[in-house]
Amino acid sequence: MTGGSALPGPDGRPRCPWGLSAEDYLEYHDSEWGRPVHGDDALFERLSLEAFQSGLSWITILRRREGFRRAFDSFKIASVAEFTDADRERLLADPGIIRNRAKVDATLANARVLAQWPEGELDALIWSYAPDPAGRPAPRTVGDVPAVTDESTALAKALKGRGVRFVGPTTAYALMQACGLVNDHLAGCVARAECAARAA
């Protein structure tokens, strides 16, 4: 994310600057980023995609998202946990996703770990690290948005301690932003109030 304060979009309404940098970003910014996400499978998808994004731009992941969903059976934990060695080789040959061996292996391993958890436990664990919004002033510029927080560091540690791989404090914070645990839409952004209302 680069840029300063909120800027007018195609309809004249102000948005976070990164949301105006590509049409894919505009749709994601306006309809998804920062809105609360619940459900183990939905959060497993976001966790997996954030891991695949590591070292790449998020738009690279967005443009392959449907390919990822096809390849990983819509990120249904129970299904991915049953993937075989043949599935792994299929994934590593699939041009519709990021064919990174370590990230593919981590996604499969994470599914096997999470499949052993009681239903709702991933959701409950992740959301237990959502900070009190009252203690977080609205960022006025992109420079005010952190890359890591105490909560994301603690969340990454908790997930790793439970056997979840490829999740560090930066990945955990990106997950928190994307899934509405924090509201990092800028103070002047039209989406900020909507996200705050949904969180409430």
Side-chain angles (χ1 to χ4, degrees):
M1 296 182 189
T2 58
S5 304
L7 298 172
D11 57 3
R13 298 188 301 165
R15 291 173 173 83
C16 302
W18 66 266
L20 302 173
S21 60
E23 189 173 332
D24 308 71
Y25 274 152
L26 182 62
E27 170 65 21
Y28 179 63
H29 172 277
D30 283 5
S31 65
E32 186 171 354
W33 193 77
R35 281 75 173 172
V37 174
H38 285 283
D40 292 348
D41 290 345
L43 287 166
F44 172 57
E45 176 186 350
R46 304 317 195 278
L47 183 64
S48 300
L49 293 179
E50 293 293 351
F52 272 102
Q53 185 270 332
S54 180
L56 302 169
S57 65
W58 180 242
I59 202 163
T60 301
I61 304 302
L62 273 184
R63 288 174 175 168
R64 288 172 170 77
R65 191 170 187 180
E66 290 310 312
F68 273 107
R69 285 174 168 167
R70 285 191 297 271
F72 286 96
D73 196 18
S74 299
F75 289 95
K76 291 182 286 212
I77 293 170
S79 177
V80 179
E82 298 296 325
F83 276 19
T84 64
D85 288 344
D87 288 309
R88 178 177 179 271
E89 294 309 309
R90 169 182 59 80
L91 292 167
L92 292 173
D94 189 340
I97 67 170
I98 304 300
R99 293 172 287 181
N100 179 291
R101 191 175 302 273
K103 294 174 182 179
V104 167
D105 286 346
T107 303
L108 301 183
N110 288 345
R112 293 178 190 122
V113 166
L114 296 172
Q116 304 304 312
W117 293 17
E119 184 176 352
E121 189 161 343
L122 177 61
D123 188 309
L125 175 66
I126 289 175
W127 276 91
S128 72
Y129 288 90
D132 180 357
R136 292 176 53 84
R140 304 201 67 79
T141 71
V142 174
D144 296 331
V145 178
V148 174
T149 63
D150 289 345
E151 292 88 356
S152 77
T153 300
L155 173 57
K157 183 177 180 181
L159 288 167
K160 284 182 178 178
R162 299 283 300 272
V164 178
R165 294 163 50 182
F166 228 105
V167 55
T170 303
T171 296
Y173 193 65
L175 176 76
M176 293 171 77
Q177 291 175 304
C179 296
L181 280 78
V182 296
N183 185 353
D184 276 345
H185 285 283
L186 301 186
C189 176
V190 68
R192 183 171 179 83
E194 179 203 338
C195 291
R198 289 199 189 188

